Amino acid sequence: MMAFFAILIPVLINSHFWQTTLPLRTHENQFSHGVATEPGQRQSRGLSVPIREKPGMSAFTLEDGVVYHTYSIYARGLDGLWGMYQWLDRAPLGRNETGIWWCRRDEYGSLPQNSGSCCHPA
Amino acid sequence: MPKIKTVHGIENRKVVSQKEWIAARKKLLVKEKKFSKRRDEMNRQRRKLPWVKIEKEYVFAGPTGKVALGELFCGKSQLIIYHFMFGPGWGEGCAHCSFWADHYDSVNLHIGARDTAFAVVSRAPWKEIERFKKRMGWKFKWVSSSNTDFNFDFNVSFTPEQLKRGTAIYNYAPLDMDIDEREGVSAFYRDQNGDIYRTYSSYARGIDLMNTTYNFLDLTAKGRDENPDHTQDWVRYHDQYKGAANDCCCA
């Protein structure tokens, strides 16, 4: 879910009021808390490093020059926004998770991905 | 009281204090959590469906020539196929399937790491698919089933006889049918012997959750805000939207 927000946050901040009323700090390491203690090192979540950031999604509307906060959702409430899960839920084994399996997309290493892989070049 | 313009006309929304808003939001959160648990249970039941062994040898056409169904697994045990509405001679794929397909390359970034391959299948000849795929800039695997029974066997393409009768089986029931292609998603499992099983198929609104744009819109004050009689009359090919770009004010 943390990795997901590396993609989501640039979308959310695409508006001035985010920057004025709800300062959002998106420095690179915020997605690493609780996952890695050293560069390149990957550990299971929830160990020694305190988590100072958590994921969330908020919606706003702009009417007659006034910005209204209409909705916020956090934690598992974001589940439906991670498109890939909705597909995996249709596969026979489902999500089949025992912990954190996902990486930033450039960190999968030698795991073959679907795009342009084996039998069918992109 | 702010007024918002929706397809149903002008609607009012109550504006409250932060304290009142939190109270209302927490009340809805209870229902949202209940929905999540129900969905978990639905997913569990889906995984317990029996399977059907694929007895036919489906061979599709792609950029490297012939591609058997088993090859689409790319060595993985699971395969999900999107049945994309693109019939022979259409010239371009369905705009609504294209709306869904605009999300597929991002799905592909991670789903391969869950022992799952992803592919799109249409009945149009490969050359037509290739031209349209290039126009849309998509990278996902997409093959043609034009020389197979695949689309008919999965009830997403319909014969001239069915269209003449005006009815066909779609979404597991007879339905008035006046178009030769419909949309759907199917899942498959391939065991160590290479045997392939169909484990699941879903059609029509059953693919709703796989459209991430809708899942985002559902969280906004207006929601999808679609014409109830023509829900996707706003959808265009992504190269044909006018003035809808979201890059107005900042980087």
Side-chain angles (χ1 to χ4, degrees), chain A residues 76-97:
Chain A
R76 241 208 113 185
L78 298 159
D79 191 286
L81 302 182
W82 203 0
M84 196 216 71
Y85 267 153
Q86 318 315 315
W87 288 90
L88 214 49
D89 285 342
R90 268 71 187 172
L93 299 179
R95 302 185 187 192
N96 198 24
E97 296 173 314

Side-chain angles (χ1 to χ4, degrees), chain B residues 17-29:
Chain B
S17 68
Q18 180 76 356
K19 191 180 170 187
E20 284 177 276
W21 188 84
I22 292 288
R25 179 66 188 90
K26 285 170 87 170
K27 213 169 159 184
L28 181 68
L29 183 61

Side-chain angles (χ1 to χ4, degrees), chain B residues 86-90 122-129 143-146 181:
Chain B
F86 191 174
W90 281 25
S122 298
R123 201 162 61 89
W126 163 246
K127 283 292 172 194
E128 281 188 52
I129 292 175
V143 293
S144 166
S145 62
S146 63
E181 314 291 325

Side-chain angles (χ1 to χ4, degrees), chain B residues 232-250:
Chain B
Q232 290 179 22
D233 59 2
W234 59 272
V235 170
R236 303 286 182 274
Y237 296 106
H238 66 236
D239 59 359
Q240 291 182 352
Y241 283 112
K242 289 191 176 94
N246 262 334
D247 55 0
C248 58
C249 55
C250 56

